[in-house]
Amino acid sequence: MRESRGQVSFEYLLIFSVSLIILIAFTLPLLENTMDNTFDVSDSIKVKSDLCKLSNAIMRVYGEGQGSKQTVYLDIDKPIKVNVASKYVSSNIKLKDNQQKLIKVNFDSKLKTTSFKLSKGEKTLIVEWPEKSPNMIIYEK
């Protein structure tokens, strides 16, 4: 009788171990895809937040008129290329599945179409509309 109890316990542990291994084999790939999607959403929100800060500064300078200046402080996680036009600011980000996503924020301004790259780290951007100038400018301090 005692031997059969040990046999049942061993069989139970063996079945439990195999079931656990099968469960892990199916859930790990799903977890990896979910984490990649979560990181993509997080990166998109961060870039959109940075573009919104820049857009708000541009709209303030445009509203205040010539002679005004606004400073924007950004903390960039990944290098990005910012495209600026008179009606919007945009950036393409690379997603985990190697696709590109365009993030665009609209506004009104007197900016010439331009683009610039922002490397990783803390950046200070100046949005300025110089006196007696028809166009606004953006530059890094």
Side-chain angles (χ1 to χ4, degrees), residues 8 24 34 60 67 69 75 83 85 88 95 104 108 119 124:
V8 171
I24 289 172
T34 303
R60 275 194 198 117
K69 181 192 285 190
D75 187 15
N83 302 310
Y88 66 89
L95 303 176
K104 187 175 180 181
D108 286 326
S119 58
T124 303

Side-chain angles (χ1 to χ4, degrees), residues 6-55:
Q7 171 104 16
V8 171
S9 295
F10 176 72
E11 288 173 354
Y12 173 75
L13 287 174
L14 185 63
I15 291 171
F16 180 74
S17 302
V18 169
S19 301
L20 192 60
I21 290 171
I22 291 172
L23 180 68
I24 289 172
F26 284 111
T27 55
L28 276 180
L30 294 174
L31 180 65
E32 183 180 356
N33 289 339
T34 303
M35 287 178 59
D36 285 347
N37 291 340
T38 303
F39 290 138
D40 285 342
V41 169
S42 175
D43 291 343
S44 298
I45 290 172
K46 175 70 172 131
V47 170
K48 185 161 187 170
S49 172
D50 291 339
L51 292 179
C52 283
K53 288 178 187 177
L54 183 59
S55 171

